[in-house]
Each structure stands twice: as structure tokens, then as C-alpha cells.
Amino acid sequence: MRSAVSTPIIIDCDPGHDDAIAILLALASPELELRAISTVAGNQTLDKTTRNALKVLELAGRTDIPVCAGADRPLRRELQTAPHVHGETGLDGAELPEPTTPTVDQDVADFLAERIEPGIVLVPVGPLTNVAHLLQRRPEARPDRIVWMGGSIAEGNVTPAAEFNAYVDPEAAARVVASGIDLTMIGLDITHKALFTQEHAEQLRGTGKIGTFVAELADFFLRFHRERYGMQGSPIHDAMAVAHVADPTLVTTLYTNVEIETASQWCDGRTVVDRWHATDRPANVHAGIDVDADRFLELLCSRLESL
Ligand code: BDR
Ligand code: CA
């Protein structure tokens, strides 16, 4: 069911376990209207992330949502994927139907530009390569607002200093941060505060094909987070960006300066967040600093159950 005033969004993603769940959360949220999906190379190669996006829509019975395959590599760097996190397919652990619909055969900058209109929120949950291409090739079509899952104030995940989405294409992230667009950063500091546990997975398993799919994804994702980080649950990073658009009261943000490191021996991809206003650099990002974890997880599970 869609509420009277729903916010139109476009998700730019690299599915990815949490990307898939973010897409499903958007489909299940009456406050949101998912207008389109663009895919980018990140967690896996572009062919795989694109097929995964199509498969998720197939499972959800929402093949009406157009999908465009975007950049197959970062702006300037070699692509780094994350098979250790998401498996060889990008969605290891779950069964999905083969896609029956093709992608929209269009340059991703044009695809996004044609769909951006006043009030639409662009929700990138992967490396920012496609968004950087949009800003460069179709500067007149800049969105009013971007809510990005990426970066962190404190620790990294792919390196000690950097979060994966920022690390894979820091030049793209730097371009987006410098664009002046109203930008929110949902980083590791808050996504790690809300852990999806085996209990959540069991709650969803058996509620239907979507619940079963999410539980199977969680089995794989939880195992990775347990073995790699000793966590008793897994962050569903990308879903928090979608949830923030649906319910802005879940996440607390701080409007401050963020810069992206692109030329460092150890810290490439670091999002340098001026958490305590230590500089006079102008504020340019709403950085997530806290989340109501219980309410986020409750929203996530109840919405997924409803599909
Ligand atoms: C981000 O990296 C990817 O592995 C996830 O999909 C998420 O977007 C977390 O660092
Ligand atoms: Ca992602």
C-alpha cells in the first residue's frame, strides 16, 4: 500500500546481500516509491550485480521497475570486488529465479537524468561511480538530494581507514561530496549499531518467499560477520539508507565538513568527517552519527514480512 504522499526514489546499487534487502525494503515501504534502479560494479562485477538486481525484482514480482546497467569500473582505479563478503555470485546463499526482463539499454547518466525530477531522492548504496558520471555528463539533471550508504567517521572495513563503497571509487565520492548537492552519509558508525541476528532471520523464514530469501541471505551474511568480526549479527548497511528516507526520525545526523582522501599511502577512500568542528571547512554533508537500532530493525523486519 502506498501512502498519499510517497517520496520517489532511485536506488543505485551493487547487489550484494544488503543491497538486495534495501531494494525489498523500498518496495515494502508505503512512504517510498521506487522509480528505477541503476547498477554499478562493486561487490561484484557489473554483469553479476545487474543480474542480481533483475533477479530480486523478479522474485518480488516487480519487473515493472526499470533497471539500467551502469559503470563497469571506477573512474580511475581498477575495480576491487568483495567476493569474501558476498560470494562469487554477489548473492551467495540464496536461490533466485532467472530474470525474464532485460535491462534498459541506455547510458546510465542519461537513464538517471531522464528520471530525476524535483523531490526525487537518489539513494546510492555502492561506489559512487554512476553518480559521478551523472554529474559530469548531465550536470543540468542533478538531484535535489542524495542519501548514500558509504564512508565512516571511525573505522574502515575494507582497509583500516576506509569503508568499501568509498574505497572502491574515492575519486567519484570526492566529486559527489564537492557537488554541493544535499548529501547524507549513512556510514559504518551507525550501520554497525543495528545488527540483524539469527533470531531476526528465523522470524522471517517461513513468512513467504521473500522472508525465506532474506533468511537465506542472512545465513550467509551472518556467517561472514561472525567469522570475520566476531559479531553476533550483521549490519544491513544499505537498508539503513533506504530506511532513513522512509523515516527520517531513525537516524541522527550532524551537518559538517566531509572530505574524501584520494592520494594517500594508507588512507585512500577515507571519509574525513569533521565530527567535532575542528576546522573552519564548510559543512557539506549530513553525516549519520546515531541510529535508533531497535526501531530500524523493527521497521525492516515488519516491512519485509509484509511483502
Ligand atoms: C558497503 O559495502 C558493501 O559490501 C555493502 O553492500 C555496503 O554497501 C558496506 O561497506
Ligand atoms: Ca552495496
Side-chain angles (χ1 to χ4, degrees):
M1 204 210 344
R2 185 159 298 152
S3 66
V5 271
S6 54
T7 301
I9 66 169
I10 298 174
I11 294 182
D12 180 71
C13 58
D14 59 339
H17 293 65
D18 52 329
D19 304 71
I21 296 172
I23 291 170
L24 294 170
L25 176 61
L27 293 177
S29 294
E31 305 87 351
L32 304 176
E33 184 191 349
L34 180 57
R35 293 267 178 95
I37 293 176
S38 50
T39 55
V40 67
N43 286 325
Q44 261 301 349
T45 53
L46 181 68
D47 55 332
K48 292 181 183 177
T49 60
T50 305
R51 274 178 68 74
N52 288 343
L54 291 169
K55 285 175 165 186
V56 170
L57 292 178
E58 190 78 38
L59 180 79
R62 292 300 308 271
T63 53
D64 55 302
I65 294 172
V67 176
C68 178
D72 65 0
R73 70 196 68 176
L75 295 183
R76 289 194 208 145
R77 298 177 188 238
E78 277 196 17
L79 174 64
Q80 312 245 9
T81 57
H84 57 296
V85 187
H86 300 276
E88 278 309 317
T89 64
L91 282 182
D92 273 16
E95 290 296 318
L96 278 169
E98 287 303 309
T100 57
T101 43
T103 54
V104 176
D105 186 15
Q106 200 175 13
D107 176 89
V108 72
D110 294 331
F111 175 84
L112 292 170
E114 282 177 16
R115 289 165 175 83
I116 284 169
E117 60 184 53
I120 206 161
V121 181
L122 184 55
V123 187
V125 292
L128 287 167
T129 321
N130 288 342
V131 186
H133 284 309
L134 169 73
L135 299 181
Q136 186 173 32
R137 295 190 204 150
R138 297 292 301 268
E140 82 289 356
R142 31 193 290 133
D144 293 336
R145 185 174 179 222
I146 296 176
V147 177
W148 174 48
M149 189 285 130
S152 100
I153 300 171
E155 85 263 38
N157 55 4
V158 63
T159 73
E163 180 279 330
F164 179 80
N165 292 338
Y167 179 76
V168 170
D169 199 344
E171 284 76 20
R175 201 179 282 176
V176 174
V177 164
S179 70
I181 293 171
D182 185 309
L183 173 64
T184 300
M185 182 183 115
I186 303 293
L188 298 179
D189 319 273
I190 55 173
T191 64
H192 282 190
K193 283 188 179 177
L195 299 184
F196 186 95
T197 64
Q198 199 65 52
E199 287 70 47
H200 292 116
E202 298 319 323
Q203 181 187 326
L204 286 171
R205 205 185 310 273
T207 58
K209 61 182 180 177
I210 301 290
T212 304
F213 168 63
V214 172
E216 288 172 356
L217 286 181
D219 292 341
F220 186 91
F221 216 39
L222 281 158
R223 193 174 325 120
F224 166 75
H225 284 90
R226 193 165 49 241
E227 289 171 3
R228 177 74 179 83
Y229 299 111
M231 289 178 173
Q232 294 311 308
S234 59
I236 312 291
H237 310 278
D238 297 347
M240 196 175 283
V242 169
H244 179 58
V245 184
D247 181 351
T249 68
L250 293 172
V251 168
T252 307
T253 60
L254 173 76
Y255 191 46
T256 191
N257 180 265
V258 177
E259 304 294 342
I260 311 291
E261 181 59 76
T262 58
S264 155
Q265 183 177 7
W266 306 112
C267 298
D268 272 9
R270 175 132 192 108
T271 46
V272 181
V273 180
D274 193 353
R275 173 70 177 86
W276 302 110
H277 302 295
T279 74
D280 292 332
R281 294 195 288 261
N284 54 358
V285 172
H286 302 274
I289 55 169
D290 203 3
V291 61
D292 187 331
D294 290 343
R295 273 205 306 126
F296 164 69
L297 290 163
E298 161 58 25
L299 176 113
L300 180 63
C301 292
S302 60
R303 294 287 165 88
L304 294 172
E305 260 184 64
S306 76
L307 277 176

